[in-house]
Amino acid sequence: MQYVDSWRAVAAATGAADRAAAEEGVRLAYRSAGLAEPTEFVWADSPRAAVEAVEKLTDAGRSVRDDVRTRPWAEERRRMYDELGPAGWSALWSATGAQLWETTSALADRIRAGIVADLAVKPEDESDVRLVLLDAVLGQHDAAWLAAFDGRGNRLDGLAAVARNAGWWWPYERTVVISDRPEVLHRDEAGRLDSGDGPALAYRDGFALYAWRGMPVPADFLAELGALTPERIRAEENAELRRVMLEFYGYDRYLTESGAEPVHRDETGILWRISLDGDEDVAMVEVVNSTPEPDGTHRTYWLRVPPRTRTAKDGVAWTFGLEGESYAPLRQT
């Protein structure tokens, strides 16, 4: 659909918010909900800072999130469902919002978790922080469902305007707290947070999330990656961080430098296995491309296969969705 790419760009937008446009969007959202416009706007550099600002409000009035976001969305969804029917609505969602939902909802979840981790100094603080987060409208990270309604009426125009121009926001009767957008966003081809040399997501005030291929990692962990050795990888007690180290270092390089021995050879390749304390084995099949490169050499590939793999042929067959006895290629390419 024509709107998906534009909303994908909204969800991934970085840089300073257009404050005037965002505030006008808020006013429109309030008017559309039959509410008086807010009398005060409080801007914050990040969602974390916005939560802190909300906690300091003294005369903001009640939360009107249900009025400006939840109810209009539900009513518009019902209208579209009735107009298009079950199959039509499902097709619309599949072509629009579903294209963005997984990555944007995962990102929002990571931001919430990061805010809770930063602000809940004591375990008893966590519920208070989560309660404030429940009042948030996600701005640019509401892109998935806003894409489904784009061009199909103007009821949600105010919400869409805020999303295009700012980050998360907290609507109360008299006061609205609005967060700026991130300054940095790095993701891999699957849309997961991913950076090997700094924060994967960062806001102007220093609130940041660190990740490698979607896996949350400590900030100081990334500094180690450039100086990894097989010994350091083996010494890592956290199994998830050890897997990140192996991916960054390269399984083939680890096998070579750690003195690993092959466990099986056949006509398809060589099966290697890495035993890791407290984690499942890593099994890899080394295969050689039968088609030569332009310089006459043959490229070697490493295929990650299930730990239960017992032969190289079984591993190669698994990559094609077959059992070993069923794998009998007529020609290799």
Side-chain angles (χ1 to χ4, degrees):
M1 300 289 269
Q2 61 177 316
Y3 301 110
V4 174
D5 287 342
S6 65
W7 282 105
R8 181 177 287 111
V10 168
T14 56
D18 184 331
R19 296 191 174 192
E23 289 178 9
E24 186 52 43
V26 169
R27 294 186 185 97
L28 177 56
Y30 273 57
R31 294 196 301 269
S32 299
L35 299 172
E37 294 180 11
T39 57
E40 180 185 25
F41 289 92
V42 176
W43 280 88
D45 288 340
S46 71
R48 179 188 64 184
V51 169
E52 293 178 304
V54 168
E55 291 176 330
K56 295 175 183 176
L57 295 177
T58 57
D59 190 32
R62 68 176 179 88
S63 170
V64 294
R65 182 183 187 276
D66 285 350
D67 303 82
V68 300
R69 195 270 194 191
T70 306
R71 191 173 303 119
W73 179 89
E75 291 174 355
E76 283 300 285
R77 182 185 183 281
R78 171 53 61 185
R79 180 179 69 83
M80 294 304 305
Y81 187 90
D82 291 343
E83 178 182 319
L84 300 174
W89 166 255
S90 179
L92 174 65
W93 176 252
S94 295
T96 55
Q99 305 294 314
L100 310 177
W101 178 258
E102 186 173 346
T103 54
T104 54
S105 61
L107 180 56
D109 287 344
R110 287 292 311 280
I111 292 172
R112 289 190 192 94
I115 292 170
V116 171
D118 275 12
L119 297 184
V121 179
K122 303 185 295 294
E124 55 268 29
D125 297 336
E126 185 173 324
S127 60
D128 293 336
V129 175
R130 292 189 184 279
L131 283 173
V132 174
L133 288 168
L134 288 176
D135 287 339
V137 181
L138 301 188
Q140 68 182 119
H141 298 141
D142 272 333
W145 65 267
L146 287 169
F149 297 105
D150 202 346
R152 295 179 175 274
N154 58 14
R155 176 84 182 277
L156 306 177
D157 283 358
L159 294 171
V162 185
R164 289 190 177 100
N165 293 288
W168 295 20
W169 55 291
W170 280 254
Y172 298 92
E173 284 181 298
R174 291 177 287 278
T175 302
V176 174
V177 177
I178 312 181
S179 166
D180 219 327
R181 295 179 294 205
E183 285 196 321
V184 171
L185 175 63
H186 298 297
R187 297 189 290 187
D188 64 11
E189 63 280 356
R192 302 172 300 184
L193 288 177
D194 178 47
S195 176
D197 58 0
L201 178 78
Y203 287 83
R204 184 167 56 192
D205 63 353
F207 174 57
L209 301 176
Y210 294 80
W212 170 257
R213 297 181 181 175
M215 167 73 184
V217 297
D220 57 358
F221 174 80
L222 296 176
E224 282 193 83
L225 294 182
L228 285 176
T229 63
E231 293 74 23
R232 172 65 185 92
I233 294 171
R234 284 194 295 270
E236 175 56 53
E237 296 181 355
N238 183 304
E240 291 184 325
L241 294 181
R242 192 165 56 217
R243 281 196 291 272
V244 172
M245 289 177 169
L246 278 168
E247 287 188 4
F248 188 90
Y249 196 72
Y251 291 102
D252 53 342
R253 181 184 174 194
Y254 180 86
L255 286 167
T256 301
E257 296 184 7
S258 63
E261 296 290 336
V263 297
H264 183 265
R265 300 172 184 263
D266 59 28
E267 71 278 8
T268 62
I270 305 172
L271 175 66
W272 302 79
R273 180 169 284 107
I274 305 171
S275 297
L276 300 173
D277 292 340
D279 198 4
E280 66 181 15
D281 290 353
V282 173
M284 307 284 293
V285 178
E286 178 186 357
V287 298
V288 177
N289 189 358
S290 61
T291 303
E293 299 297 308
D295 63 0
T297 62
H298 292 262
R299 181 174 295 180
T300 298
Y301 293 92
W302 297 81
L303 309 175
R304 179 82 182 267
V305 297
R308 66 178 182 278
T309 303
R310 292 292 173 262
T311 70
K313 185 177 180 180
D314 286 345
V316 174
W318 176 84
T319 67
F320 290 97
L322 300 172
E323 298 294 331
E325 60 269 17
S326 304
Y327 178 69
L330 298 176
R331 181 171 66 92
Q332 287 186 312
T333 58

